[in-house]
Amino acid sequence: MTSLVEVRRLILALIGVGFIFAPLYYMMILGLMDVTEMYQTPPPLFPQNPTILPYLKAWKTLAPSLLNSAIIAGGSMILTILLSTPAAFAVAKMRFRWKPHLSAFLIIMQILPYIALVIPLFLLFNYLNLLNTYLGVILAITTVYSPFCVILLIPYMRSLPTPLLEAAAIDGASSFQIFWRIVLPLSRPALATASLLIFLLGWGNFIFPLALIQSENLMPATILLNKFIDIYTIEWNAVMAGALILSLPPMIIVLLARKALTAVAVGGIKQ
């Protein structure tokens, strides 16, 4: 009976792994095919005449813009965490008049489509001379992802022991000192997870760089990947190769962050 259960679990695990890696595998092999081979029916599972030319073309196009993607994603992550962490602490642990309305506002901001903010932010940044700058895109991404980050952090902040915070307040600690010396160290696991998620969301953002950046020197890789899509033709092999190249940095970061997140979580629990 036990062996049968283990076999079922193994089958389910293999199916799950297949769903995860099948798109990556097909993306990889499509980048090794020429255009005529890609349109065969049924599509081949292995490239018959593999070529690395699509990867070389995609790398030549995207390589200069990967730094732009890192700047935008990193800047958005830092600014979002700086703004969202004290906001989440205030909603979770403090009492103030408009607290229920603020919670409703955060939920509404999550429901609101991001595309609805493009034109207002474009007009605002045009007035502030922030168009075609890293800062403009970082502020736009921070605007849409800060509510998500606050909602993500609130449950963890609520789980922090209230008697500990009250004891610090009785000892004369100010709200800022409680936040800085107690809440932040205890919240490292949640902050590490939120930082990783915001970085990934900023890395893959398409709509705000498209609307706010005109100079190709400042465009992230998500925008330049669109170069392979023309009005009449689509270079699917180059698109797939570029998508794989664009996916590699986030995948590497997630793999490297696993041990770091575990270590941070253990440190937070010990504290």
Side-chain angles (χ1 to χ4, degrees):
M1 186 66 180
T2 306
S3 60
L4 182 59
V5 173
E6 292 178 353
V7 170
R8 288 178 179 176
R9 290 178 179 175
L10 178 60
I11 292 174
L12 291 175
L14 292 176
I15 293 173
V17 171
F19 273 110
I20 294 173
F21 286 100
L24 293 175
Y25 170 76
Y26 208 65
M27 188 189 304
M28 179 185 68
I29 64 169
L30 286 177
L32 296 173
M33 297 179 185
D34 56 31
V35 177
T36 57
E37 189 177 356
M38 291 178 62
Y39 288 101
Q40 291 181 7
T41 306
L45 295 177
F46 304 96
Q48 300 171 358
N49 300 300
T51 174
I52 62 171
L53 291 179
Y55 280 96
L56 294 177
K57 184 175 183 179
W59 175 255
K60 184 178 180 181
T61 302
L62 299 180
S65 63
L66 292 176
L67 179 60
N68 298 336
S69 295
I71 292 173
I72 292 173
S76 303
M77 176 193 71
I78 293 171
L79 187 57
T80 301
I81 294 298
L82 287 176
L83 295 177
S84 301
T85 307
F89 170 64
V91 174
K93 291 296 184 181
M94 292 185 175
R95 296 179 182 178
F96 50 92
R97 183 178 179 183
W98 300 103
K99 184 174 179 178
H101 302 284
L102 179 58
S103 301
F105 172 76
L106 293 173
I107 295 174
I108 292 172
M109 286 297 294
Q110 285 299 104
I111 299 173
L112 187 69
Y114 297 158
I115 190 69
L117 299 176
V118 171
I119 294 177
L121 288 176
F122 180 89
L123 296 176
L124 176 62
F125 291 162
N126 183 45
Y127 177 77
L128 297 174
N129 294 321
L130 290 176
L131 291 181
N132 207 36
T133 63
Y134 290 131
L135 182 59
V137 180
I138 290 171
L139 289 175
I141 295 174
T142 302
T143 300
V144 298
Y145 291 140
S146 289
F148 164 74
C149 191
V150 173
I151 293 173
L152 184 67
L153 292 173
I154 284 175
Y156 192 90
M157 297 285 187
R158 282 178 177 163
S159 69
L160 298 178
T162 302
L164 176 63
L165 306 184
E166 292 175 346
I170 293 173
D171 289 340
S174 64
S175 297
F176 177 77
Q177 289 174 327
I178 293 173
F179 173 74
W180 183 259
R181 296 183 179 181
I182 299 176
V183 174
L184 282 184
L186 291 177
S187 301
R188 287 189 300 175
L191 293 177
T193 303
S195 299
L196 180 60
L197 288 175
I198 298 301
F199 181 88
L200 296 178
L201 291 170
W203 179 273
N205 192 274
F206 178 83
I207 187 66
F208 288 118
L210 180 66
L212 302 176
I213 292 181
Q214 290 82 40
S215 175
E216 188 172 312
N217 295 330
L218 300 176
M219 288 181 179
T222 49
I223 303 301
L224 292 185
L225 185 62
N226 203 42
K227 273 190 167 186
F228 302 121
I229 302 176
D230 200 355
I231 299 177
Y232 303 105
T233 59
I234 301 177
E235 299 179 68
W236 282 115
N237 50 0
V239 170
M240 293 296 103
L244 185 62
I245 292 172
L246 187 57
S247 302
L248 285 177
M251 286 192 290
I252 293 172
I253 290 173
V254 170
L255 291 174
L256 294 177
R258 285 178 59 194
K259 291 184 178 179
L261 288 175
T262 303
V264 167
V266 172
I269 292 171
K270 287 181 178 180
Q271 292 186 20

